[in-house]
Amino acid sequence: MRLNYSIGQCAEVFEAEIRGSLPEIITHVYFDSRKIQQVKGALFFALKGHLRSGNEFMEQAYQQGIRMFVLAKNATVTFHPDAVYFLVEDTLAALQKLAAYHRKRFTYPVVAITGSVGKTTFKEWIFHCISDKFKVVRSPKSFNSQIGVALSLLEMHENASIAFIEAGISKPEEMKILRDMISPDYGIFTAFGKAHRENFANIEEHLLEKWVLFRECRLVFVPHTFADLENRLPGNFQVCPSYEDHRFPAGYSGMLGVLKTFLAYLQLNPSEIKKRIDSLPTLALRMEVFEGINQNTIINDTYNLDLDALGEALIYQRQLAPGKKRIVVIGLSEKHVHERFEIERLIQSFDPDEFHFIPEGKSIPWENFHDSIVLVKAHRDCAFEYEVARGKALKHRTVIEINLSAVKRNIAFYQSRLPKGVNILAMVKASSYGSGADKVAPALQQSGIRNFGVAFADEGVELRKAGIGIASSIVVMNPDPEHSDLIIEYRLEPAIYSFEQLDEFITALIHKQISNYPVHLKFDTGMHRLGFSPKDKERLLAIIHSQPEVKIQGIYSHLADADNPVHSEFTVKQLEMFESIVSYFRSNYSGTFLAHVLNSEGSLRYPEHCYDMIRLGISMYGYTENKELRPFFEPGVSWYSSISQIKPVPKGDFIGYGCAYEAAEDMMIAIVPVGYADGFRRNLSNGQGAVCIHGIKCPVVGRVCMDMIMVDISSVNAKINDLVEIIGQNQTMEAFAKAMGTIPYEVMTSLSKRMHRVYVEE
Ligand SMILES: *Cc1c(COP(=O)(O)O)cnc(C)c1O
């Protein structure tokens, strides 16, 4: 959204009473406090939800930093003096008025799409066909409800040349509201659901309800099935001849016909039209089809579960399935249980062989599915993609598997040992040590972690975008001065390590008129990396006391050799120095702050120095140098591939680049699609490294290539596609790192991005 409205303008649009004032411009809107990402310029609508009133969420939004609100006049809320409130009769109506007002600012054509099925598909089709010729605005996902349409319209901007807006209704009177908002210039009617098709005359009334949307359109495009109604519908419409495409089931010919006619209306020539329709994805939605374990075929659409999309997915499943068993799996989150009945009815009308509702947090019983076409649908909030990944066949692919349950158990182990009141800050820098911060951090949140650490500002932004809301603090350890704006915009907390940097950050805050911004002070207690010297503490405190822009949120230092008893004397010195810094600030600083100094190893060895928080990185994945405690940790990361090809190599032949390996005997080798570009380093060539197949160690023969290795399988009875373990039960992370001449940290962070990450939870 790129709105640009003043508070006064909005008040007029809403016909609202105003309380408070702020020199702010409204750039975007929210109505769900869990989705808040950017607070500057945000206007929060306290909509009435099904269960709770929006006012409860309003307070949460305020806590997250939102300062502009639209709420019902009669609402009982606490008004904060530093916020602005628009008081209206009806908050949803206010959102819709804003949408209507915004839409009226643009003169390019707006096309409304309705119909009981196929709206989203049609919208994606048309986008596919014309987005290279026109600048298109379209409804996001299947946003077609009373709220969805308003949000879609708010996406309109001056650089577009046409807009497509989906409209769906559940009650007849709603269509008029949608029409007033959309004011469509053109209309498209996709289709009626199959239940209606046979009995067309009786649905005239139903049709007239939907027709309200099109009343003032210049032209409406309708499928051939409307031919009988030629003289019975008001307005100007065009019946489009059907169009068959063998790639689509027959039921789609009406919609394809509308598409073809509409493209001609946009002046595409017949050969262009044909080319574009021929290139339509047969599955315009977000469904993904792949091979599963046990010879299953999996249709995956864990993006949303609206009935329209579910109907299409079921049609598609039936089309794929002739002669095969059909299984439907629905992931149902707590929040959506009330939809179960309707979903069930729709599925039953397709008569699948089996269907399963899987409640949130439960697993799909993949082991019971064989030779079937399995359709998996779920709401996005089910995080079902991990479940789906478990059903995927591991074939010609190299994957990193992250066991989120193991990570959670490792954290629980720490939590059980930590003194009461000590928190964990999860270090998720370098995309959570290569394991994918966007997936791992939300899982850590489920373990109760509310403090995260990253190296750079953009990593922090990635976390916010992955749903780590501002109730969690994110510390940026190496903030660049150029990133101050980004840091402030996303409510990240910079670690300050020099006077220049402190000065620059305070300047940025002054420009934005922000005070009391949380920062962390980093001290160098002997490692000689970034950090203030302990001698700086007096001067530092004087500056901070005189600058209301910042407050100390944390004070920390880092140990140089926490895991090594040989240097324990040095470590104790570091800890003493840290203690003197902390006690200085505790007695002289006017506010409170969190002190922390221990990393994974440090907190196992020096638990009495936990202070308020420990910073965990590597041990969340189960890796530690601490031999007594190692049995309590579970490895969280595995690395698998599979055999692409098997071949015999006769005695005396060479293998790989540089003829670096000569077969001493007749042997059998396997080619595995992993190489140094994936982080399987070249120094593992020729027996330095190995993989495990069926639990047997198979050394690398020849040199490691960029994308492949050859391994000796003479002593294994292996087949193509068999699983190859690079890191797992038989070859541990530590052993692999040792063979590569490095440490688990470097192995993990060198795993290339191109490899698929699979997340499992038991
Ligand atoms: C990376 C990092 C940690 C975590 O270290 P582990 O050894 O992985 O636990 C802690 N503190 C700081 C400052 C770090 O940069």
Side-chain angles (χ1 to χ4, degrees):
M1 255 174 239
R2 309 176 229 168
L3 313 180
N4 184 8
Y5 294 120
S6 70
I7 289 184
Q9 233 171 333
C10 284
E12 225 169 276
V13 172
F14 300 153
E15 298 168 69
E17 242 174 73
I18 281 215
R19 259 180 101 139
S21 80
L22 279 179
E24 284 274 352
I25 290 292
I26 289 156
T27 56
H28 57 289
V29 308
Y30 291 115
F31 62 92
D32 183 341
S33 57
R34 291 159 312 178
K35 304 246 164 82
I36 292 171
Q37 288 186 348
Q38 197 180 330
V39 298
K40 192 170 165 36
L43 175 61
F44 187 88
F45 282 84
L47 300 180
K48 274 205 215 86
H50 284 302
L51 303 169
R52 293 200 276 173
S53 81
N55 301 328
E56 275 174 64
F57 296 119
M58 223 175 82
E59 190 51 32
Q60 284 173 18
Y62 178 84
Q63 292 307 336
Q64 296 187 54
I66 300 269
R67 290 294 176 269
M68 297 186 281
F69 299 92
V70 179
L71 72 161
K73 263 185 188 148
N74 55 5
T76 41
V77 291
T78 2
F79 290 99
H80 296 278
D82 60 342
V84 169
Y85 298 87
F86 296 92
L87 302 170
V88 298
E89 294 294 340
D90 177 341
T91 49
L92 174 60
L95 175 65
Q96 294 174 331
K97 282 178 191 164
L98 181 63
Y101 178 75
H102 185 66
R103 181 260 174 271
K104 294 261 157 56
R105 292 184 41 221
F106 304 100
T107 50
Y108 52 79
V110 173
V111 184
I113 303 174
T114 196
S116 48
V117 291
K119 295 184 283 292
T120 306
T121 303
F122 193 90
K123 182 196 70 194
E124 296 303 320
W125 278 358
I126 190 86
F127 180 75
H128 174 90
C129 290
I130 68 167
S131 60
D132 60 335
K133 289 207 146 198
F134 295 83
K135 285 235 158 41
V136 179
V137 170
R138 69 197 203 280
S139 308
K141 305 172 210 165
S142 322
F143 278 22
N144 58 34
S145 65
Q146 294 283 309
I147 299 173
V149 167
L151 296 177
S152 301
L153 290 168
L154 290 175
E155 294 292 336
M156 289 179 70
H157 55 81
E158 63 257 31
N159 298 327
S161 49
I162 190 165
F164 293 91
I165 305 292
E166 279 184 58
I169 53 166
S170 48
K171 292 194 276 297
E173 63 276 13
E174 289 179 345
M175 202 47 117
K176 181 174 174 320
I177 303 174
L178 295 187
R179 191 219 24 231
D180 293 346
M181 239 195 305
I182 304 174
S183 306
D185 302 293
Y186 295 95
I188 281 172
F189 204 106
T190 55
F192 270 120
K194 62 181 178 109
H196 302 297
R197 215 169 286 141
E198 305 79 45
N199 195 2
F200 216 77
N202 293 352
I203 52 139
E204 199 173 324
E205 190 184 335
H206 188 69
L207 186 62
L208 280 169
E209 277 161 14
K210 298 206 172 195
W211 210 257
V212 171
L213 179 65
F214 298 138
R215 217 151 60 194
E216 276 138 44
C217 281
R218 272 183 254 167
L219 187 56
V220 182
F221 297 82
V222 298
H224 65 286
T225 42
F226 282 53
D228 329 354
L229 296 165
E230 197 92 60
N231 300 315
R232 283 188 277 170
L233 288 170
N236 209 355
F237 63 92
Q238 176 162 357
V239 178
C240 309
S242 73
Y243 182 77
E244 301 284 343
D245 180 327
H246 66 277
R247 297 180 311 134
F248 292 91
Y252 281 98
S253 63
M255 259 165 71
L256 284 165
V258 175
L259 178 68
K260 183 163 178 270
T261 309
F262 188 73
L263 291 175
Y265 188 80
L266 292 178
Q267 321 236 291
L268 271 71
N269 66 43
S271 75
E272 273 180 312
I273 294 176
K274 178 161 185 341
K275 212 166 87 204
R276 280 155 206 251
I277 293 187
D278 284 350
S279 74
L280 282 180
T282 40
L283 207 55
L285 290 178
R286 309 125 299 228
M287 278 173 268
E288 190 196 350
V289 180
F290 47 77
E291 281 177 50
I293 53 171
N294 305 337
Q295 273 76 52
N296 293 310
T297 300
I298 302 176
I299 308 172
N300 176 33
D301 180 6
T302 46
Y303 195 78
N304 78 36
L305 189 49
D306 71 46
L307 288 178
D308 198 17
L310 176 61
E312 291 191 33
L314 288 163
I315 295 176
Y316 183 66
Q317 183 189 30
R318 201 165 51 186
Q319 180 196 350
L320 277 188
K324 278 206 161 194
K325 196 166 156 185
R326 278 180 293 136
I327 300 177
V328 181
V329 177
I330 303 287
L332 208 55
S333 63
E334 206 66 63
K335 214 171 77 210
H336 293 281
V337 273
H338 61 280
E339 294 168 17
R340 180 179 170 138
F341 180 69
E342 260 189 294
I343 293 171
E344 198 164 333
R345 207 167 50 179
L346 178 62
I347 294 174
Q348 262 161 356
S349 72
F350 281 83
D351 202 20
D353 298 281
E354 288 178 27
F355 76 90
H356 303 258
F357 277 103
I358 312 285
E360 208 167 343
K362 289 282 184 300
S363 302
I364 302 178
W366 285 113
E367 56 289 355
N368 302 338
F369 302 163
H370 297 271
D371 296 304
S372 307
I373 309 284
V374 185
L375 168 65
V376 188
K377 291 273 302 176
H379 281 289
R380 189 119 190 96
D381 59 4
C382 276
F384 232 46
E385 56 268 30
Y386 312 142
E387 272 306 305
V388 176
R390 286 202 313 118
K392 232 177 195 175
L394 283 178
K395 239 185 168 185
H396 280 302
R397 277 185 316 132
T398 303
V399 296
I400 309 297
E401 186 180 287
I402 292 110
N403 184 336
L404 294 173
S405 302
V407 170
K408 287 177 179 171
R409 285 192 289 266
N410 293 333
I411 288 171
F413 172 70
Y414 269 100
Q415 284 165 335
S416 70
R417 283 170 50 102
L418 284 175
K420 215 170 148 51
V422 174
N423 285 316
I424 293 175
L425 182 152
M427 291 301 306
V428 291
K429 59 197 179 199
S431 198
S432 209
Y433 292 36
S435 65
D438 58 329
K439 297 292 188 324
V440 173
L444 299 177
Q445 227 175 12
Q446 290 168 5
S447 283
I449 289 186
R450 293 291 175 270
N451 293 279
F452 295 88
V454 294
F456 301 105
D458 45 358
E459 294 178 346
V461 172
E462 189 198 343
L463 286 193
R464 289 280 187 240
K465 291 191 170 158
I468 304 300
I470 49 193
S472 288
S473 105
I474 300 178
V475 184
V476 180
M477 301 277 166
N478 298 4
D480 272 335
E482 312 80 282
H483 288 159
S484 296
D485 287 346
L486 205 58
I487 286 181
I488 295 166
E489 185 181 335
Y490 284 89
R491 275 296 236 171
L492 309 175
E493 298 172 7
I496 305 284
Y497 52 80
S498 73
F499 289 111
E500 298 76 40
Q501 188 208 4
L502 178 60
D503 188 50
E504 282 175 56
F505 193 67
I506 289 176
T507 309
L509 292 168
I510 291 173
H511 280 304
K512 293 184 187 288
Q513 302 186 332
I514 295 174
S515 56
N516 245 343
Y517 198 94
V519 301
H520 297 253
L521 304 179
K522 176 166 176 167
F523 281 90
D524 175 7
T525 51
M527 181 163 174
H528 295 317
R529 222 169 52 172
L530 287 180
F532 284 102
S533 152
K535 293 198 295 282
D536 294 331
K537 57 184 187 297
E538 288 85 5
R539 190 177 147 206
L540 191 51
L541 183 62
I543 294 178
I544 288 184
H545 269 153
S546 65
Q547 299 285 171
E549 288 76 24
V550 287
K551 66 169 182 196
I552 304 177
Q553 183 77 10
I555 291 185
Y556 76 98
S557 184
H558 196 42
L559 301 177
D561 202 8
D563 55 318
N564 191 350
V566 173
H567 288 137
S568 59
E569 211 175 304
F570 175 79
T571 303
V572 168
K573 264 211 198 97
Q574 277 199 288
L575 290 169
E576 283 168 3
M577 205 179 282
F578 185 67
E579 171 56 28
S580 76
I581 296 165
V582 173
S583 67
Y584 172 78
F585 279 91
R586 290 247 196 266
S587 14
N588 295 294
Y589 179 55
S590 50
T592 55
F593 59 85
L594 302 171
H596 42 102
V597 65
L598 301 176
N599 67 346
S600 295
E601 294 295 346
S603 47
L604 298 177
R605 222 169 261 283
Y606 305 96
E608 65 283 10
H609 294 273
C610 286
Y611 291 92
D612 303 303
M613 202 146 77
I614 59 171
R615 301 189 303 267
L616 291 190
I618 195 83
S619 61
M620 297 192 288
Y621 304 97
Y623 309 119
T624 174
E625 291 297 315
N626 190 311
K627 296 209 170 55
E628 295 102 77
L629 293 177
R630 189 176 288 165
F632 296 97
F633 288 102
E634 272 177 71
V637 176
S638 318
W639 187 4
Y640 299 115
S641 188
S642 61
I643 298 178
S644 311
Q645 198 180 18
I646 289 178
K647 58 179 60 165
V649 176
K651 179 175 170 177
D653 272 16
F654 295 111
I655 298 172
Y657 280 122
C659 301
Y661 187 92
E662 184 179 348
E665 296 295 333
D666 286 354
M667 64 190 293
M668 200 58 102
I669 65 167
I671 323 298
V672 182
V674 63
Y676 56 75
D678 298 306
F680 194 102
R681 269 209 221 141
R682 200 160 169 276
N683 69 349
L684 297 171
S685 296
N686 265 332
Q688 281 305 307
V691 298
C692 291
I693 299 173
H694 299 304
I696 295 168
K697 211 158 182 182
C698 305
V700 175
V701 287
R703 289 186 188 152
V704 173
C705 311
M706 190 184 292
D707 313 304
M708 273 174 271
I709 54 173
M710 287 71 86
V711 298
D712 180 359
I713 54 164
S714 305
S715 52
V716 193
N717 180 16
K719 303 185 301 302
I720 285 187
N721 291 336
D722 278 358
L723 189 76
V724 174
E725 175 197 297
I726 304 165
I727 291 175
Q729 287 189 337
N730 301 292
Q731 173 156 267
T732 62
M733 175 69 83
E734 288 90 343
F736 183 81
K738 204 161 165 203
M740 214 156 84
T742 184
I743 51 177
Y745 297 82
E746 194 187 353
V747 173
M748 289 181 67
T749 52
S750 314
L751 296 171
S752 75
K753 281 229 166 69
R754 73 177 182 186
M755 288 185 289
H756 216 73
R757 261 73 175 165
V758 175
Y759 299 86
V760 299
E761 264 187 285
E762 298 126 21

